[in-house]
Amino acid sequence: MKITVISVGKIKEKYLKDAIAEYSKRLGRYCKLEIIEVQDEKTPDQASETVEKQIRDKEAERILKYIRDDMYVITLEIGGKMLSSEELADKINSLGIQGKSHLAFVIGGSIGLGRKVLVRSDYALSFSRMTFPHQLMRVILLEQVYRGYRIINGEPYHK
């Protein structure tokens, strides 16, 4: 299976880069992983809803350039479905069984995802009702996908 993570913004912090590199290496045993960073837009303080919508739309266009028709798109959204680690593992496994060989996880910028990306999404996933920095979300996502593959393969994982 191929997994593509499409994320808005660059990772600047070394500790996050190191964690992403570590989980990317670990995932190499289980899948082909690709991480795509798209440029984020600067959001002015106290931006109006109109300005925020324009920013989300620009970022959405950049994201959509990397989404192909054969991808099963999972967007990370606060309002998405919350799954346990075991349920995420089952989801990944069942998608593979159904012939979905390319999953794309999409992480939006600091003000969320544009409407066109949300419309293209096949599944909305939430890790929590809390808000996390989108840079940290990349690490959390990779860790959970790695954990999911450990579960799928009946390998031990920390509970």
Side-chain angles (χ1 to χ4, degrees), residues 4 6 60 63-64 66-81 91 95 100 102-108 112-126:
T4 300
I6 304 170
I63 290 167
L64 289 168
Y66 294 98
I67 294 178
R68 298 195 332 246
D69 290 343
D70 66 336
M71 289 178 167
Y72 185 89
V73 178
I74 299 173
T75 46
L76 274 57
E77 305 176 41
I78 289 175
K81 183 162 174 52
K91 180 81 177 163
L95 287 168
K100 310 284 188 208
H102 194 170
L103 306 185
F105 289 90
V106 181
I107 303 170
L113 291 165
R115 189 187 63 74
K116 287 183 180 179
V117 173
L118 299 176
V119 168
R120 173 58 180 88
S121 176
D122 296 301
Y123 191 85
L125 176 65
S126 175

Short mmCIF file of all heavy atoms in Angstrom, two decimals, residues 4 6 60 63-64 66-81 91 95 100 102-108 112-126:
data_model
loop_
_atom_site.label_atom_id
_atom_site.label_comp_id
_atom_site.label_asym_id
_atom_site.label_seq_id
_atom_site.Cartn_x
_atom_site.Cartn_y
_atom_site.Cartn_z
N THR A 4 0.26 8.59 1.23
CA THR A 4 0.76 9.94 1.00
C THR A 4 0.18 10.84 2.08
O THR A 4 -1.03 10.81 2.34
CB THR A 4 0.32 10.44 -0.40
OG1 THR A 4 0.85 9.57 -1.39
CG2 THR A 4 0.82 11.85 -0.65
N ILE A 6 -0.29 14.67 2.80
CA ILE A 6 -0.23 16.01 2.21
C ILE A 6 -0.51 16.99 3.34
O ILE A 6 -1.56 16.93 3.97
CB ILE A 6 -1.26 16.17 1.08
CG1 ILE A 6 -1.06 15.09 0.01
CG2 ILE A 6 -1.16 17.57 0.46
CD1 ILE A 6 -2.17 15.02 -1.02
N ALA A 60 -6.16 25.03 -0.50
CA ALA A 60 -6.88 23.89 -1.08
C ALA A 60 -6.44 23.63 -2.51
O ALA A 60 -6.25 22.47 -2.90
CB ALA A 60 -8.40 24.15 -1.03
N ILE A 63 -3.20 21.81 -2.41
CA ILE A 63 -3.40 20.43 -1.97
C ILE A 63 -3.96 19.58 -3.12
O ILE A 63 -3.47 18.48 -3.39
CB ILE A 63 -4.35 20.38 -0.75
CG1 ILE A 63 -3.66 20.96 0.49
CG2 ILE A 63 -4.82 18.95 -0.49
CD1 ILE A 63 -4.60 21.25 1.65
N LEU A 64 -4.97 20.10 -3.78
CA LEU A 64 -5.66 19.33 -4.83
C LEU A 64 -4.75 18.98 -6.00
O LEU A 64 -5.01 17.99 -6.70
CB LEU A 64 -6.90 20.09 -5.30
CG LEU A 64 -8.04 20.13 -4.28
CD1 LEU A 64 -9.11 21.13 -4.71
CD2 LEU A 64 -8.64 18.76 -4.04
N TYR A 66 -2.06 17.59 -5.82
CA TYR A 66 -1.39 16.32 -5.49
C TYR A 66 -2.37 15.17 -5.29
O TYR A 66 -1.94 14.03 -5.08
CB TYR A 66 -0.53 16.49 -4.24
CG TYR A 66 0.62 17.43 -4.47
CD1 TYR A 66 0.55 18.76 -4.07
CD2 TYR A 66 1.77 16.99 -5.12
CE1 TYR A 66 1.60 19.63 -4.30
CE2 TYR A 66 2.83 17.86 -5.35
CZ TYR A 66 2.74 19.18 -4.94
OH TYR A 66 3.79 20.03 -5.18
N ILE A 67 -3.66 15.45 -5.32
CA ILE A 67 -4.65 14.39 -5.11
C ILE A 67 -5.07 13.82 -6.46
O ILE A 67 -5.58 14.55 -7.30
CB ILE A 67 -5.86 14.92 -4.31
CG1 ILE A 67 -5.41 15.30 -2.90
CG2 ILE A 67 -6.97 13.88 -4.28
CD1 ILE A 67 -6.48 15.88 -2.01
N ARG A 68 -4.84 12.52 -6.60
CA ARG A 68 -5.21 11.84 -7.84
C ARG A 68 -6.55 11.14 -7.67
O ARG A 68 -7.00 10.87 -6.55
CB ARG A 68 -4.11 10.83 -8.21
CG ARG A 68 -2.77 11.51 -8.46
CD ARG A 68 -1.78 10.61 -9.18
NE ARG A 68 -1.96 9.21 -8.95
CZ ARG A 68 -1.10 8.41 -8.30
NH1 ARG A 68 0.01 8.90 -7.81
NH2 ARG A 68 -1.35 7.14 -8.14
N ASP A 69 -7.15 10.79 -8.80
CA ASP A 69 -8.46 10.15 -8.78
C ASP A 69 -8.44 8.80 -8.07
O ASP A 69 -9.44 8.40 -7.47
CB ASP A 69 -8.98 9.95 -10.21
CG ASP A 69 -9.36 11.28 -10.86
OD1 ASP A 69 -9.54 12.28 -10.14
OD2 ASP A 69 -9.49 11.31 -12.10
N ASP A 70 -7.32 8.07 -8.14
CA ASP A 70 -7.26 6.73 -7.55
C ASP A 70 -6.95 6.75 -6.05
O ASP A 70 -6.89 5.69 -5.43
CB ASP A 70 -6.24 5.87 -8.29
CG ASP A 70 -4.80 6.37 -8.11
OD1 ASP A 70 -4.59 7.56 -7.84
OD2 ASP A 70 -3.88 5.54 -8.27
N MET A 71 -6.78 7.91 -5.47
CA MET A 71 -6.48 7.99 -4.03
C MET A 71 -7.76 7.92 -3.20
O MET A 71 -8.79 8.49 -3.58
CB MET A 71 -5.78 9.31 -3.69
CG MET A 71 -4.38 9.43 -4.18
SD MET A 71 -3.74 11.10 -3.74
CE MET A 71 -2.00 10.89 -4.05
N TYR A 72 -7.66 7.26 -2.07
CA TYR A 72 -8.71 7.32 -1.06
C TYR A 72 -8.26 8.41 -0.10
O TYR A 72 -7.21 8.29 0.54
CB TYR A 72 -8.86 5.97 -0.34
CG TYR A 72 -10.00 5.95 0.63
CD1 TYR A 72 -11.27 5.57 0.22
CD2 TYR A 72 -9.83 6.33 1.96
CE1 TYR A 72 -12.34 5.55 1.11
CE2 TYR A 72 -10.88 6.32 2.85
CZ TYR A 72 -12.14 5.93 2.42
OH TYR A 72 -13.20 5.92 3.30
N VAL A 73 -9.02 9.50 -0.02
CA VAL A 73 -8.59 10.70 0.70
C VAL A 73 -9.22 10.74 2.09
O VAL A 73 -10.45 10.71 2.24
CB VAL A 73 -8.96 11.98 -0.09
CG1 VAL A 73 -8.56 13.23 0.69
CG2 VAL A 73 -8.28 11.96 -1.47
N ILE A 74 -8.34 10.83 3.09
CA ILE A 74 -8.76 10.94 4.49
C ILE A 74 -8.30 12.31 4.98
O ILE A 74 -7.10 12.58 5.05
CB ILE A 74 -8.15 9.83 5.35
CG1 ILE A 74 -8.60 8.46 4.84
CG2 ILE A 74 -8.51 10.03 6.82
CD1 ILE A 74 -7.92 7.28 5.50
N THR A 75 -9.26 13.18 5.27
CA THR A 75 -8.93 14.51 5.78
C THR A 75 -8.96 14.48 7.30
O THR A 75 -9.81 13.83 7.91
CB THR A 75 -9.92 15.57 5.26
OG1 THR A 75 -11.25 15.07 5.39
CG2 THR A 75 -9.64 15.90 3.81
N LEU A 76 -8.02 15.19 7.91
CA LEU A 76 -8.00 15.32 9.36
C LEU A 76 -8.79 16.56 9.72
O LEU A 76 -8.44 17.67 9.31
CB LEU A 76 -6.56 15.40 9.87
CG LEU A 76 -5.88 14.04 10.10
CD1 LEU A 76 -5.86 13.18 8.87
CD2 LEU A 76 -4.50 14.22 10.67
N GLU A 77 -9.89 16.33 10.45
CA GLU A 77 -10.81 17.40 10.78
C GLU A 77 -11.28 17.25 12.22
O GLU A 77 -11.56 16.13 12.65
CB GLU A 77 -12.05 17.34 9.88
CG GLU A 77 -11.78 17.35 8.40
CD GLU A 77 -13.07 17.18 7.60
OE1 GLU A 77 -14.10 17.79 7.97
OE2 GLU A 77 -13.06 16.43 6.61
N ILE A 78 -11.41 18.36 12.92
CA ILE A 78 -11.90 18.31 14.30
C ILE A 78 -13.28 17.65 14.35
O ILE A 78 -13.58 16.88 15.25
CB ILE A 78 -11.94 19.73 14.93
CG1 ILE A 78 -10.52 20.22 15.19
CG2 ILE A 78 -12.73 19.72 16.23
CD1 ILE A 78 -10.43 21.64 15.68
N GLY A 79 -14.10 17.91 13.35
CA GLY A 79 -15.45 17.36 13.33
C GLY A 79 -15.56 15.98 12.70
O GLY A 79 -16.66 15.46 12.52
N GLY A 80 -14.43 15.35 12.39
CA GLY A 80 -14.45 14.02 11.78
C GLY A 80 -14.76 12.93 12.79
O GLY A 80 -15.02 13.19 13.96
N LYS A 81 -14.70 11.70 12.33
CA LYS A 81 -14.99 10.54 13.19
C LYS A 81 -13.75 10.21 14.01
O LYS A 81 -12.65 10.14 13.49
CB LYS A 81 -15.39 9.35 12.33
CG LYS A 81 -15.78 8.13 13.14
CD LYS A 81 -16.57 7.14 12.30
CE LYS A 81 -16.87 5.85 13.00
NZ LYS A 81 -17.47 5.93 14.30
N LYS A 91 -9.55 0.14 9.73
CA LYS A 91 -9.91 0.98 8.58
C LYS A 91 -8.85 0.85 7.49
O LYS A 91 -9.18 0.63 6.31
CB LYS A 91 -10.05 2.44 9.03
CG LYS A 91 -10.41 3.42 7.94
CD LYS A 91 -11.89 3.40 7.66
CE LYS A 91 -12.29 4.43 6.64
NZ LYS A 91 -13.61 4.15 6.10
N LEU A 95 -9.56 -1.04 3.90
CA LEU A 95 -9.39 -0.29 2.65
C LEU A 95 -8.47 -1.05 1.70
O LEU A 95 -8.72 -1.13 0.50
CB LEU A 95 -8.86 1.12 2.92
CG LEU A 95 -9.87 2.09 3.52
CD1 LEU A 95 -9.16 3.36 4.01
CD2 LEU A 95 -10.96 2.44 2.53
N LYS A 100 -8.24 -0.46 -2.24
CA LYS A 100 -7.78 0.93 -2.16
C LYS A 100 -6.29 0.88 -1.81
O LYS A 100 -5.92 0.74 -0.65
CB LYS A 100 -8.53 1.72 -1.09
CG LYS A 100 -10.03 1.61 -1.17
CD LYS A 100 -10.59 2.44 -2.28
CE LYS A 100 -12.11 2.44 -2.18
NZ LYS A 100 -12.76 2.61 -3.44
N HIS A 102 -3.94 3.20 -2.44
CA HIS A 102 -3.26 4.47 -2.24
C HIS A 102 -4.12 5.36 -1.33
O HIS A 102 -5.16 5.86 -1.76
CB HIS A 102 -3.00 5.15 -3.58
CG HIS A 102 -2.03 6.29 -3.49
ND1 HIS A 102 -1.51 6.90 -4.59
CD2 HIS A 102 -1.47 6.94 -2.43
CE1 HIS A 102 -0.68 7.87 -4.22
NE2 HIS A 102 -0.66 7.90 -2.92
N LEU A 103 -3.67 5.53 -0.10
CA LEU A 103 -4.37 6.40 0.85
C LEU A 103 -3.65 7.73 0.92
O LEU A 103 -2.42 7.79 0.95
CB LEU A 103 -4.38 5.79 2.25
CG LEU A 103 -4.92 4.38 2.43
CD1 LEU A 103 -4.94 4.02 3.90
CD2 LEU A 103 -6.28 4.24 1.81
N ALA A 104 -4.42 8.80 0.96
CA ALA A 104 -3.86 10.14 1.15
C ALA A 104 -4.47 10.73 2.41
O ALA A 104 -5.69 10.84 2.52
CB ALA A 104 -4.16 11.03 -0.06
N PHE A 105 -3.63 11.07 3.36
CA PHE A 105 -4.05 11.77 4.57
C PHE A 105 -3.74 13.24 4.35
O PHE A 105 -2.62 13.59 3.96
CB PHE A 105 -3.29 11.27 5.80
CG PHE A 105 -3.68 9.88 6.24
CD1 PHE A 105 -3.02 8.78 5.75
CD2 PHE A 105 -4.70 9.70 7.16
CE1 PHE A 105 -3.37 7.49 6.16
CE2 PHE A 105 -5.07 8.43 7.58
CZ PHE A 105 -4.39 7.32 7.08
N VAL A 106 -4.72 14.11 4.60
CA VAL A 106 -4.54 15.54 4.36
C VAL A 106 -4.65 16.31 5.67
O VAL A 106 -5.65 16.20 6.38
CB VAL A 106 -5.59 16.06 3.34
CG1 VAL A 106 -5.37 17.55 3.08
CG2 VAL A 106 -5.53 15.27 2.03
N ILE A 107 -3.60 17.07 5.96
CA ILE A 107 -3.55 17.91 7.15
C ILE A 107 -3.56 19.36 6.70
O ILE A 107 -2.68 19.80 5.97
CB ILE A 107 -2.27 17.64 7.97
CG1 ILE A 107 -2.18 16.17 8.37
CG2 ILE A 107 -2.23 18.55 9.20
CD1 ILE A 107 -0.84 15.77 8.97
N GLY A 108 -4.57 20.10 7.12
CA GLY A 108 -4.70 21.49 6.73
C GLY A 108 -3.76 22.41 7.51
O GLY A 108 -3.00 21.97 8.37
N GLY A 112 -7.50 25.44 9.06
CA GLY A 112 -8.29 24.34 8.53
C GLY A 112 -8.18 24.16 7.03
O GLY A 112 -7.30 24.72 6.38
N LEU A 113 -9.09 23.34 6.51
CA LEU A 113 -9.07 22.95 5.10
C LEU A 113 -10.13 23.70 4.30
O LEU A 113 -11.22 23.98 4.80
CB LEU A 113 -9.33 21.45 4.98
CG LEU A 113 -8.21 20.54 5.49
CD1 LEU A 113 -8.71 19.12 5.68
CD2 LEU A 113 -7.03 20.59 4.53
N GLY A 114 -9.82 23.95 3.05
CA GLY A 114 -10.76 24.60 2.14
C GLY A 114 -11.88 23.66 1.72
O GLY A 114 -11.75 22.44 1.76
N ARG A 115 -12.99 24.26 1.31
CA ARG A 115 -14.19 23.51 0.96
C ARG A 115 -13.95 22.47 -0.13
O ARG A 115 -14.44 21.35 -0.06
CB ARG A 115 -15.30 24.48 0.52
CG ARG A 115 -16.67 23.83 0.34
CD ARG A 115 -17.69 24.78 -0.26
NE ARG A 115 -17.35 25.22 -1.60
CZ ARG A 115 -17.44 24.46 -2.71
NH1 ARG A 115 -17.87 23.23 -2.62
NH2 ARG A 115 -17.12 24.95 -3.89
N LYS A 116 -13.16 22.81 -1.15
CA LYS A 116 -12.93 21.88 -2.25
C LYS A 116 -12.21 20.61 -1.78
O LYS A 116 -12.47 19.53 -2.31
CB LYS A 116 -12.13 22.55 -3.38
CG LYS A 116 -12.94 23.54 -4.18
CD LYS A 116 -12.11 24.11 -5.31
CE LYS A 116 -12.92 25.11 -6.13
NZ LYS A 116 -12.13 25.69 -7.22
N VAL A 117 -11.33 20.74 -0.80
CA VAL A 117 -10.66 19.56 -0.26
C VAL A 117 -11.66 18.74 0.56
O VAL A 117 -11.69 17.51 0.47
CB VAL A 117 -9.44 19.95 0.61
CG1 VAL A 117 -8.85 18.73 1.31
CG2 VAL A 117 -8.38 20.63 -0.25
N LEU A 118 -12.48 19.42 1.34
CA LEU A 118 -13.48 18.72 2.15
C LEU A 118 -14.47 17.96 1.27
O LEU A 118 -14.87 16.84 1.60
CB LEU A 118 -14.22 19.71 3.06
CG LEU A 118 -13.34 20.46 4.08
CD1 LEU A 118 -14.16 21.48 4.84
CD2 LEU A 118 -12.65 19.50 5.03
N VAL A 119 -14.83 18.55 0.15
CA VAL A 119 -15.76 17.89 -0.79
C VAL A 119 -15.10 16.65 -1.40
O VAL A 119 -15.74 15.62 -1.60
CB VAL A 119 -16.21 18.88 -1.89
CG1 VAL A 119 -16.92 18.18 -3.03
CG2 VAL A 119 -17.12 19.95 -1.28
N ARG A 120 -13.80 16.73 -1.68
CA ARG A 120 -13.08 15.61 -2.30
C ARG A 120 -12.80 14.48 -1.30
O ARG A 120 -12.56 13.34 -1.66
CB ARG A 120 -11.75 16.12 -2.90
CG ARG A 120 -10.81 15.06 -3.43
CD ARG A 120 -11.44 14.18 -4.50
NE ARG A 120 -10.53 13.17 -4.99
CZ ARG A 120 -10.39 11.95 -4.44
NH1 ARG A 120 -11.07 11.60 -3.38
NH2 ARG A 120 -9.54 11.08 -4.97
N SER A 121 -12.87 14.77 -0.02
CA SER A 121 -12.55 13.80 1.02
C SER A 121 -13.48 12.59 0.97
O SER A 121 -14.69 12.73 0.81
CB SER A 121 -12.66 14.48 2.39
OG SER A 121 -12.44 13.54 3.42
N ASP A 122 -12.88 11.41 1.14
CA ASP A 122 -13.67 10.18 1.23
C ASP A 122 -14.02 9.85 2.68
O ASP A 122 -14.96 9.10 2.94
CB ASP A 122 -12.89 9.01 0.63
CG ASP A 122 -12.64 9.20 -0.86
OD1 ASP A 122 -13.63 9.32 -1.61
OD2 ASP A 122 -11.46 9.24 -1.27
N TYR A 123 -13.23 10.39 3.61
CA TYR A 123 -13.43 10.06 5.02
C TYR A 123 -12.84 11.18 5.86
O TYR A 123 -11.70 11.60 5.63
CB TYR A 123 -12.72 8.74 5.36
CG TYR A 123 -13.06 8.17 6.70
CD1 TYR A 123 -14.18 7.38 6.87
CD2 TYR A 123 -12.25 8.42 7.81
CE1 TYR A 123 -14.50 6.84 8.12
CE2 TYR A 123 -12.55 7.89 9.05
CZ TYR A 123 -13.68 7.10 9.20
OH TYR A 123 -13.99 6.58 10.42
N ALA A 124 -13.60 11.66 6.83
CA ALA A 124 -13.13 12.70 7.75
C ALA A 124 -12.74 12.03 9.07
O ALA A 124 -13.56 11.37 9.70
CB ALA A 124 -14.21 13.75 7.98
N LEU A 125 -11.48 12.20 9.45
CA LEU A 125 -10.94 11.57 10.65
C LEU A 125 -10.57 12.66 11.65
O LEU A 125 -9.98 13.67 11.29
CB LEU A 125 -9.69 10.77 10.28
CG LEU A 125 -8.90 10.11 11.40
CD1 LEU A 125 -9.74 9.04 12.09
CD2 LEU A 125 -7.61 9.51 10.85
N SER A 126 -10.92 12.41 12.91
CA SER A 126 -10.55 13.33 13.99
C SER A 126 -9.71 12.58 15.01
O SER A 126 -10.04 11.45 15.37
CB SER A 126 -11.80 13.89 14.67
OG SER A 126 -11.42 14.68 15.79
#
